[in-house]
Amino acid sequence: MAADQGVAKRGPVSAFFATRPKTRLGLLLAPPLLWLVVAYLGSIVVLLITAFWSVNGFTGAVVPTFQLGNIVSVFSEPLYREVTLRTIVVALSVTVVDAVIAFPMAFYMAKIASPRTRAFFLVAVTTPLWASYLVKAYAWRVLLEPNGPIDIITGGHSPGYGLPATVITLAYLWLPYMIIPMFAGFDRVPSSLIEASADLGASTGRTVRSIILPLVFPAVAAGSIFTFSLSLGDYIAVTIVGGKTQLLANLIYGQLVTANNQPLAAALSIVPLIAIILYLLAMRRTGALESI
Amino acid sequence: MITRTKLSAIAVAAALLVTIAGCSGGGGGGSSTSPQGNLPNIAAQKKLGAGEGKLNIIVWAGYAEDGADDPTVDWVTPFEKQTGCQVNAKTAGTSDEMVQLMRTGQYDGVSASGDATLRLIYGGDVAPVNTSLVPNYATISDFLKMKAWNSAGGKMYGIPHGWGANVLMYNPAVVTTAPDSWSAVFDKNSPYAGKITAYDSPIYIADAALYLKATDPSLGIKDPYSLTEKQLNAAVALLKTQNANVGEYWSDYTKEVEAFESGSSVIGTTWQVIANLVQSDGKAQVKTVVPKEGVTGWSDTWMIAAKAKHPNCMYQWMDWITSAKVNAQVAEWFGEAPAQTKSCAETSDPAFCDTYHATDAAYAANIHYWTTPQTACVDGSGKTDCTAYSEWTTKWQQIKG
Amino acid sequence: MEFSRGFRILLRVCMWIGLAILYIPLILIVVNSFNQSKTFSFPPTGFTLEWWIAASHSTGALNALATSIITGVGATLVALLLGTMAAFAVQRYRFFGRQTISFLVVLPITFPGIVTGLALLASFSNILGPLGVGLGIGTVIIGHATFCIVIVFNNVQARLRRLGTSLEEASADLGGTLWQTFRYVTFPSIRGALVAGALLAFALSFDEIVVTTFTAGPEVQTLPIWIFGNLFRPNQAPVVNVVAAVLTIVAIVPVWLSQRIAGDSVTSRV
């Protein structure tokens, strides 16, 4: 059979492509690139251009003349600096909290649990992603309300609505996004290395510190990309549990909707964009992008 | 090489995209780049045609009830049955949202308050209304017609819907002495710190200005929407002090309902409909009061989009919502004075119109209706040193910090 | 065993604490769906099934659910196609800009939703508006597909990396056409990655609210938009709760299925 088929002619299409790897590559790359570069990046460029425009104060119509006013105010207004700092601190806190909680969980799932229970834990950890983000945030609103469950448990010391509540809620919402890459990272650590380390007499702590942590770090970085960027851009959870707190995305949304100032909103968007790109570049060096 | 050619092709496409964007001039179709004096020339519809089968409107929550909130409260379904226009009502929490939504050009009409109407008129987003096409207009209260906020250039730009005040609501179980002044929410040392609520829109600055008008005459505030730089800064300072005591701001009215019911808010500015909802839910008791310094309020107008896709349905809606029975229903549900004079005979509570002073022109004149602050002072004094709404919005974000 | 007993117990305790943290709010949601009080007072004031009954009648919720499924499937299909193509290109060929492609693909999901939404809205209004095309399901699908591509891309790329090219080369050597090779050799090997990627992409699209708000226009109501509109309404909030409870419980099925199909111990990549 196989010998016969080896003699049969290949289709003309396959023959054409067989000797033209660059055409194959081109065809494979063209649609995704078109979509991502032209459609998506193009839109971002359009947005950035509008950042240099302004609005007629009364009618709200956009005036497409180039001016630097928005960019200047974004980087000089104390309000924007303060809120940016606050947002970055929130995003980093959420990342740290999630990393701390996810680390032992991912470790356990990948290295300690038996294969059957591992499947169970994987399902258990991924399922919450399907519950609506809005309802989960609202559930925390209920948990934190005066005379609510947390108030009762802590004897009246519920943090209430504000910045701590925002960090707690965001950390909760993004936890699975940290666990999954970390699990993959732990899973990739060859058991043979761990066994070798134990054979050579290292204690558990030493093995974890010197063998596992360095190997798992890219995965942690990968997970942190999600928690950081998702927190940086969030304006809904903070409206639900944040009380009167404003984060950067609230300012952007406010300028767009309340002030009808789309150019200023676009100018403000540059801040999280820069923050994310810087963070991505930093994480790229740790090899996180390969571990996502 | 293929990759290089592809990259340059992409660059060209991107450049094209950018040029197109540059040419079309971004969002918003405003015709004027000059200040408010330039009224866009848009013609009113001449004749009423057949309904288009659909209607997209932007409404205040409670203005287009279809039975979802309370099965007995429904004036949308009868409208849909009678006219065949399927209603798609988008709820907005503030006038700012409404203006922004109207700008997208995707809606046929809006129930605009006075701080949105002029922005829409001068932005070219709404068309004048041909009142002869709306039979119920004739019997609407006269003191609502051809006012500064709903007319321009001698033409009516909408059909009045109803009006009401932003009153003070409090939980009598916590706030044991009935307050009679806005100092209850503005006092720096308020005993309710952390449980005060306020409306989340820059227009709330006018409420602070109204309070200062009574408590600090040296500032010389006459009209809360005509504030000089100095007066604005004083109001902003007051609001920054208040911000320390505020637990949450509200724009979604049901968030305020939930806040009062759960106890996270105990006192603050409100619409009557919110108090009504809290009372009917039974979980918490609330009372409302009109403080002695006076109140801001709203007088809402139904406006039709300049490029409405379903204009005939919109005209039919405007006539429906101002008919005697329906206007009475809305007014009672929302807790506001109906614009339709004939509605007073249709309310389920015979004393309703008296309670809300619906036909009392003098009372109506005492409410400081929402209007858009402009540099040319809106109090009609002719001065041009007032602060504009764009400045109010910047200050508002600074107040919230 | 390589790890001390104490350490293993510590990890197990942390695991269960973590699971508790994950599930307590979800349990609260389910409990509240039976709570008589409309404002979820705690402890629950009484037990009632009326919200479940109301939810089954809620046309708003059912329509929104249908819309979400349509947009989710649409976005997932586009993402499957484009993500797989990009993964093959990056994994099977060496070319200038390979690293950049990986970077590029990740961008849509890392940019704040509000920025993506704003940008897409600006483009749609300026480019499609003048052509008479309004915002609708199509624009929502475009928005969702854009950040779903990376999910499929990562999963397929990881799989391809482990797979190697030897099987495909053998198939070609034996005279298989491109299509035959793909259908009988490549596809079965990456099927698990495709399923895992598709499920996660669907979940992401299903729950997305920010980009959707900007790209949906007035007439499209996906489930998250419906939830957002009804979340604070005293009469509708319990129904929203029921919907969320149902979604969570029902979601166990596809997640478990994807586990089975994916086969190997390493699960989907986010």
Side-chain angles (χ1 to χ4, degrees):
Chain A
M1 292 275 169
D4 278 328
Q5 291 209 299
V7 179
K9 260 218 222 190
R10 302 183 67 187
V13 176
S14 306
F16 176 82
F17 282 117
T19 46
R20 289 175 177 74
K22 294 223 177 76
T23 319
R24 286 206 311 268
L25 174 63
L27 278 177
L28 276 180
L29 266 188
L33 267 192
L34 218 67
W35 187 284
L36 286 172
V37 175
V38 177
Y40 184 68
L41 279 191
S43 310
I44 300 277
V45 167
V46 168
L47 182 73
L48 291 180
I49 290 183
T50 62
F52 292 97
W53 293 344
S54 59
V55 280
N56 174 314
F58 183 64
T59 63
V62 175
V63 180
T65 38
F66 186 88
Q67 51 98 42
L68 285 174
N70 289 335
I71 308 290
V72 169
S73 74
V74 164
F75 287 102
S76 61
E77 276 280 340
L79 173 71
Y80 301 139
R81 280 208 296 269
E82 197 182 308
V83 174
T84 303
L85 198 62
R86 181 188 304 153
T87 314
I88 292 185
V89 167
V90 166
L92 288 175
S93 314
V94 168
T95 304
V96 167
V97 169
D98 274 344
V100 165
I101 299 181
F103 191 88
M105 289 177 78
F107 199 142
Y108 180 83
M109 276 163 44
K111 289 294 171 216
I112 316 282
S114 69
R116 261 222 331 266
T117 47
R118 182 176 304 148
F120 161 76
F121 283 125
L122 276 172
V123 171
V125 157
T126 326
T127 308
L129 282 179
W130 285 78
S132 160
Y133 154 91
L134 289 167
V135 180
K136 284 188 285 196
Y138 194 77
W140 273 99
R141 182 179 169 87
V142 173
L143 279 172
L144 291 164
E145 73 185 1
N147 302 319
I150 294 196
D151 215 16
I152 295 177
I153 295 175
T154 57
H157 292 298
S158 156
Y161 305 136
L163 216 49
T166 310
V167 173
I168 294 174
T169 308
L170 286 176
Y172 171 79
L173 288 170
W174 316 137
L175 188 57
Y177 288 109
M178 179 65 96
I179 297 179
I180 295 176
M182 276 177 96
F183 168 81
F186 273 107
D187 197 65
R188 270 198 296 271
V189 175
S191 296
S192 52
L193 278 183
I194 304 177
E195 279 169 26
S197 169
D199 287 344
L200 287 169
S203 67
T204 303
R206 187 76 207 282
T207 310
V208 171
R209 253 195 349 263
S210 311
I211 310 286
I212 298 183
L213 269 184
L215 287 173
V216 152
F217 185 70
V220 178
S224 78
I225 292 178
F226 287 104
T227 55
F228 186 79
S229 74
L230 287 169
S231 305
L232 204 66
D234 186 81
Y235 68 92
I236 294 187
V238 69
T239 316
I240 297 179
V241 295
K244 60 190 181 196
T245 319
Q246 287 191 116
L247 290 184
L248 196 52
N250 296 105
L251 286 185
I252 298 176
Y253 190 82
Q255 282 300 339
L256 180 67
V257 177
T258 311
N260 257 317
N261 195 340
Q262 197 258 9
L264 184 55
L268 279 171
S269 312
I270 295 181
V271 179
L273 269 188
I274 293 181
I276 293 288
I277 292 181
L278 285 178
Y279 196 85
L280 275 178
L281 288 175
M283 290 299 127
R284 196 184 191 185
R285 297 166 130 266
T286 68
L289 291 185
E290 317 291 316
S291 330
I292 287 185
Chain B
M1 286 179 31
I2 276 195
T3 340
R4 296 260 163 82
T5 329
K6 204 187 350 291
L7 278 176
S8 33
I10 291 168
V12 167
L16 209 62
L17 207 83
V18 162
T19 333
I20 294 175
C23 286
S24 54
S31 57
S32 58
T33 50
S34 54
Q36 46 271 33
N38 219 346
L39 190 62
N41 199 359
I42 304 175
Q45 184 160 327
K46 296 262 179 8
K47 268 197 339 222
L48 198 56
E52 297 91 352
K54 223 169 19 162
L55 180 64
N56 293 326
I57 45 177
I58 305 164
V59 300
W60 290 108
Y63 275 25
E65 291 298 300
D66 60 355
D69 282 318
D70 183 337
T72 59
V73 179
D74 183 2
W75 50 84
V76 167
T77 321
F79 171 77
E80 288 175 334
K81 285 209 185 80
Q82 183 171 315
T83 61
C85 301
Q86 290 311 302
V87 175
N88 177 20
K90 172 114 177 117
T91 308
T94 62
S95 293
D96 313 298
E97 273 176 47
M98 290 188 168
V99 172
Q100 197 255 343
L101 285 169
M102 279 302 275
R103 279 193 179 293
T104 63
Q106 309 259 343
Y107 294 90
D108 304 304
V110 58
S111 61
S113 298
D115 57 335
T117 46
L118 289 179
R119 284 190 271 170
L120 292 170
I121 294 174
Y122 283 97
D125 299 302
V126 293
V129 162
N130 185 343
T131 55
S132 62
L133 299 178
V134 183
N136 284 314
Y137 179 75
T139 41
I140 285 181
S141 300
D142 281 326
F143 58 83
L144 294 172
K145 299 180 185 174
M146 298 302 279
K147 302 304 288 188
W149 63 80
N150 59 17
S151 64
K155 292 184 263 191
M156 262 308 266
Y157 271 79
I159 304 292
H161 165 92
W163 50 278
N166 298 317
V167 295
L168 179 62
M169 175 163 75
Y170 64 99
N171 185 339
V174 176
V175 184
T176 41
T177 355
D180 67 342
S181 157
W182 287 109
S183 63
V185 295
F186 284 120
D187 182 12
K188 193 161 72 165
N189 305 313
S190 170
Y192 318 112
K195 302 211 177 211
I196 295 179
T197 186
Y199 188 53
D200 195 353
S201 167
I203 205 70
Y204 186 69
I205 294 179
D207 287 62
L210 194 59
Y211 179 70
L212 286 176
K213 175 179 171 188
T215 54
D216 192 353
S218 67
L219 284 170
I221 298 178
K222 299 273 181 318
D223 173 44
Y225 301 98
S226 308
L227 300 179
T228 60
E229 197 71 43
K230 179 162 157 252
Q231 293 164 343
L232 179 65
N233 289 336
V236 169
L238 179 66
L239 287 167
K240 281 194 175 147
T241 322
Q242 186 199 46
N243 175 267
N245 292 332
V246 165
E248 278 185 318
Y249 291 89
W250 65 273
S251 61
D252 184 325
Y253 80 144
T254 50
K255 196 171 170 200
E256 205 191 12
V257 172
E258 193 260 340
F260 269 83
E261 288 183 343
S262 71
S264 54
S265 293
V266 298
I267 189 167
T269 183
T270 190
W271 302 329
Q272 190 58 42
V273 65
I274 297 171
N276 294 348
L277 275 172
V278 176
Q279 287 290 97
S280 69
D281 244 12
K283 207 207 153 204
Q285 296 301 304
V286 288
K287 291 210 173 108
T288 57
V289 68
V290 174
K292 62 186 183 211
E293 294 91 0
V295 286
T296 54
W298 69 89
S299 179
D300 292 341
T301 314
W302 287 99
M303 306 181 100
I304 182 168
K307 299 207 181 88
K309 296 199 180 82
H310 317 99
N312 295 318
C313 276
M314 188 61 204
Y315 267 94
Q316 290 179 310
W317 172 262
M318 290 197 285
D319 194 42
W320 170 263
I321 197 80
T322 49
S323 59
K325 243 177 165 286
V326 179
N327 210 232
Q329 278 183 292
V330 188
E332 281 198 288
W333 172 252
F334 198 80
E336 58 178 357
Q340 177 61 256
T341 49
K342 291 214 190 119
S343 291
C344 291
E346 304 282 347
T347 53
S348 61
D349 168 16
F352 184 81
C353 276
D354 291 330
T355 320
Y356 284 86
H357 306 271
T359 46
D360 186 345
Y363 181 84
N366 262 339
I367 297 180
H368 299 89
Y369 297 111
W370 282 345
T371 187
T372 313
Q374 308 163 40
T375 42
C377 300
V378 294
D379 57 4
S381 63
K383 296 208 226 136
T384 51
D385 61 345
C386 286
T387 45
Y389 192 63
S390 52
E391 209 182 324
W392 285 38
T393 51
T394 316
K395 294 273 192 255
W396 184 249
Q397 284 192 326
Q398 289 169 359
I399 290 169
K400 294 209 300 186
Chain C
M1 284 289 127
E2 312 89 53
F3 299 113
S4 66
R5 187 145 187 278
F7 187 69
R8 296 210 322 271
I9 292 181
L10 174 68
L11 282 188
R12 177 178 289 149
V13 166
C14 287
M15 180 75 212
W16 284 103
I17 293 180
L19 277 183
I21 295 178
L22 272 179
Y23 277 89
I24 286 180
L26 297 181
I27 294 174
L28 183 69
I29 292 175
V30 176
V31 164
N32 272 330
S33 68
F34 296 108
N35 190 348
Q36 200 154 45
S37 154
K38 275 193 283 204
T39 50
F40 312 135
S41 50
F42 191 83
T45 53
F47 180 92
T48 175
L49 282 174
E50 61 173 302
W51 310 126
W52 285 81
I53 300 174
S56 58
H57 292 320
S58 170
T59 44
L62 292 172
N63 286 339
L65 181 65
T67 311
S68 275
I69 291 180
I70 296 174
T71 52
V73 167
T76 306
L77 286 177
V78 174
L80 273 176
L81 194 62
L82 296 179
T84 313
M85 287 169 91
F88 267 94
V90 167
Q91 205 49 41
R92 290 273 183 264
Y93 299 87
R94 299 241 166 304
F95 58 92
F96 166 79
R98 216 168 136 234
Q99 291 282 57
T100 321
I101 302 282
S102 304
F103 195 71
L104 211 61
V105 170
V106 169
L107 284 186
I109 208 173
T110 53
F111 281 177
I114 191 171
V115 176
T116 304
L118 256 177
L120 287 177
L121 176 63
S123 305
F124 289 149
S125 344
N126 284 325
I127 306 219
L128 296 180
L131 294 175
V133 181
L135 297 177
I137 291 200
T139 48
V140 175
I141 290 181
I142 293 177
H144 287 193
T146 310
F147 55 75
C148 284
I149 291 178
V150 64
I151 313 277
V152 176
F153 175 80
N154 280 332
N155 275 281
V156 175
Q157 194 201 24
R159 195 82 184 85
L160 285 177
R161 194 185 294 146
R162 276 202 312 275
L163 219 45
T165 52
S166 44
L167 281 176
E168 284 165 19
E169 283 167 10
S171 165
D173 287 343
L174 288 168
T177 62
L178 270 182
W179 174 246
Q180 282 173 331
T181 308
F182 181 75
R183 189 169 160 212
Y184 296 118
V185 180
T186 322
F187 181 71
S189 324
I190 60 170
R191 194 179 51 200
L194 285 179
V195 169
L199 268 169
L200 208 52
F202 185 82
L204 225 63
S205 156
F206 200 69
D207 195 29
E208 214 284 328
I209 174 98
V210 178
V211 175
T212 321
T213 314
F214 287 98
T215 51
E219 294 174 28
V220 172
Q221 235 195 9
T222 60
L223 198 58
I225 292 187
W226 179 84
I227 292 178
F228 199 40
N230 286 293
L231 197 54
F232 286 110
R233 277 170 213 301
N235 280 318
Q236 292 288 77
V239 174
V240 170
N241 235 25
V242 169
V243 170
V246 168
L247 277 179
T248 317
I249 297 172
V250 163
I252 298 181
V253 173
V255 174
W256 179 78
L257 265 181
S258 115
Q259 257 303 288
R260 304 275 296 178
I261 297 180
D264 47 48
S265 64
V266 184
T267 185
S268 52
R269 298 284 203 273
V270 177

